[in-house]
Amino acid sequence: MKIHNFSAGPCILPQEVFKEASESLLNFDNLGLSVIEISHRSKSFVAVMDEAVALTKELLNVPDTHEVIFLQGGASMQFAMVAYNLLTKNGKAQYLDTGAWASKAFKEADGLGQAEVIASSKSSNYNYIPKDYVIDEGADYFHCTSNNTIYGTQIKNFPNTRVPVVCDMSSDIFSRTIDVNAFDLIYAGAQKNLGPAGATLVIVRKSALGNSGRYIPTMLDYNTHISKGSMFNTPPVFSVYVSMLTLRWLKSNGGVEAISKRNDEKANLLYQEIDRNSLFVGTAAAEDRSTMNACFLLKDEASHKEYFDQLINNSKISGINGHRSVGGYRASMYNAMDLDSVQALVACMQDLEKNYS
Ligand SMILES: *Cc1c(COP(=O)(O)O)cnc(C)c1O
């Protein structure tokens, strides 16, 4: 019986990608060698990196003004790299505080120079996206988090501003169409829609770099990695390879526009059930609900949790416990999840309601 994996990250990837990736561990590119034992500078691996970059550019319509690189250190390393590269000595950065990740990103800029939070939904446990804020025209950059993995909120409309926008898209990159030109820098840890943990995708406007006026440690300088085609040092070869396979899969399934429609369909199905079912309640503000992570609670945990957990176990539903800071349930429905997994969850919710009415 199929396991329906709703894990928030690391998370589901396409089965065909797992299959091809596992074969590459024994015999990659007909070399009779594993993808993880060959030189990253070999022709076979350089072709992988080139294809990963080319597919990213193609699938997201990345303009020539921007570079695509694959780094290490996760999205968390980007919290610091962004500040080192874009925050000038006398300038300031502005942050939108929409959750734990956003707040960790702010901490790094705040520790390095001048940074301020211009709006926050912390006092309501981040259950909505603040919208009435004004970005200071003189700021070096404005930082936001497109999808708040823990709370199930998502920015639907990015601010229209002349200030460079930096965005953590770790948990919704490639899930919906974006205008890359509206951002100076986009980053995303691989492990939520792209591949195994280890690689971090960065898309950066070339002209935004080199202006910080501060010494940037070599490994933290985007230009180091751009000038060496993401091969300044050994890249996380397996993560980059599997990310490339996932991007091939995405392309052959119609690209970002097609996956975005399927993601909407999955999310709509689940949110409709959360709203319809008398035993459940959603935690995020309706207009900010994430298509990737849906957070919801049982209205009466004491009476219903045990039986509901039994139902979801019987249906082989995995990884839907909410984050400890929100509680309840969180269903993560990343690109590789099929509609039938969401249908299986909805069926459990309906079974529970039938049993208690
Ligand atoms: C998971 C996540 C992170 C942290 O990613 P790491 O790669 O583990 O550092 C940062 N931001 C968002 C939005 C995330 O979902």
Side-chain angles (χ1 to χ4, degrees):
M1 194 172 162
K2 173 174 173 177
I3 296 178
H4 302 290
N5 181 12
F6 286 89
S7 175
C11 64
I12 187 169
L13 288 171
Q15 280 301 314
E16 50 263 59
V17 166
F18 285 143
K19 188 161 180 293
E20 196 169 348
S22 59
E23 284 160 7
S24 79
L25 283 172
L26 293 175
N27 181 9
F28 172 62
D29 207 19
N30 281 324
L31 298 171
L33 296 168
S34 170
V35 66
I36 58 171
E37 69 177 328
I38 60 168
S39 166
H40 56 289
R41 306 201 186 275
S42 65
K43 211 173 109 220
S44 294
F45 187 77
V46 170
V48 168
M49 183 64 89
D50 289 348
E51 189 174 347
V53 169
L55 283 167
T56 301
K57 288 182 175 169
E58 182 184 342
L59 289 163
L60 292 178
N61 278 319
V62 178
D64 289 340
T65 44
H66 288 60
E67 291 282 353
V68 172
I69 46 179
F70 285 88
L71 306 179
Q72 303 194 59
S76 299
M77 180 69 99
Q78 293 310 305
F79 301 162
M81 277 181 81
V82 162
Y84 267 99
N85 286 265
L86 303 183
L87 182 56
T88 60
K89 272 196 171 141
N90 300 314
K92 69 172 175 193
Q94 301 205 305
Y95 279 71
L96 183 63
D97 178 26
T98 53
W101 298 121
S103 139
K104 285 177 177 158
F106 167 73
K107 177 174 174 269
E108 298 303 319
D110 191 42
L112 189 71
Q114 210 192 324
E116 57 193 12
V117 170
I118 55 169
S120 172
S121 47
K122 186 172 184 182
S123 61
S124 57
N125 201 24
Y126 298 118
N127 67 355
Y128 72 99
I129 304 280
K131 291 168 198 82
D132 297 325
Y133 54 85
V134 180
I135 300 169
D136 190 327
E137 295 257 314
D140 286 339
Y141 65 88
F142 166 74
H143 181 283
C144 57
T145 311
S146 60
N147 185 70
N148 299 282
T149 326
I150 296 174
Y151 315 89
T153 63
Q154 187 174 33
I155 297 179
K156 304 295 175 182
N157 297 298
F158 290 95
N160 196 353
T161 172
R162 276 184 299 179
V163 174
V165 177
V166 175
C167 190
D168 176 358
M169 294 195 187
S170 291
S171 53
D172 67 354
I173 189 119
F174 295 110
S175 75
R176 57 173 172 171
T177 54
I178 47 164
D179 174 14
V180 172
N181 192 43
F183 301 89
D184 267 31
L185 198 146
I186 292 168
Y187 62 90
Q191 68 277 17
K192 284 158 193 147
N193 244 340
L194 197 51
T200 310
L201 173 65
V202 174
I203 305 170
V204 59
R205 190 190 304 277
K206 282 176 264 190
S207 62
L209 301 175
N211 314 319
S212 78
R214 63 173 85 244
Y215 172 76
I216 307 173
T218 309
M219 277 297 283
L220 300 187
D221 188 341
Y222 292 116
N223 275 327
T224 300
H225 303 283
I226 290 171
S227 68
K228 299 290 182 193
S230 303
M231 300 248 207
F232 171 73
N233 65 333
T234 319
V237 288
F238 190 65
S239 180
V240 172
Y241 173 64
V242 180
S243 298
M244 185 279 283
L245 293 180
T246 307
L247 294 175
R248 270 191 195 160
W249 168 86
L250 180 55
K251 184 180 170 182
S252 70
N253 281 276
V256 175
E257 217 165 297
I259 207 81
S260 165
K261 285 204 186 95
R262 292 204 287 280
N263 289 334
D264 285 344
E265 207 184 324
K266 289 180 286 180
N268 288 339
L269 176 66
L270 181 54
Y271 284 123
Q272 267 166 27
E273 181 59 21
I274 291 169
D275 292 341
R276 188 209 60 76
N277 194 309
S278 58
L279 305 185
F280 292 93
V281 60
T283 60
E287 81 260 23
D288 301 324
R289 282 172 163 179
S290 165
T291 54
M292 295 283 97
N293 318 93
C295 297
F296 55 100
L297 307 169
L298 277 165
K299 289 180 186 162
D300 181 357
E301 265 204 6
S303 311
H304 301 149
K305 184 171 163 48
E306 198 180 328
Y307 186 58
F308 185 58
D309 286 351
Q310 210 177 310
L311 287 171
I312 57 183
N313 279 336
N314 292 345
S315 295
K316 297 261 186 275
I317 285 170
S318 162
I320 73 157
N321 282 337
H323 188 273
R324 60 191 177 279
S325 62
V326 179
Y329 298 93
R330 168 174 53 170
S332 299
M333 302 169 281
Y334 295 113
N335 284 353
M337 173 165 281
D338 289 325
L339 185 65
D340 72 340
S341 293
V342 182
Q343 285 165 339
L345 174 57
V346 165
C348 291
M349 296 166 78
Q350 293 175 349
D351 274 4
L352 182 76
E353 192 185 38
K354 265 189 220 124
N355 194 65
Y356 280 98
S357 58

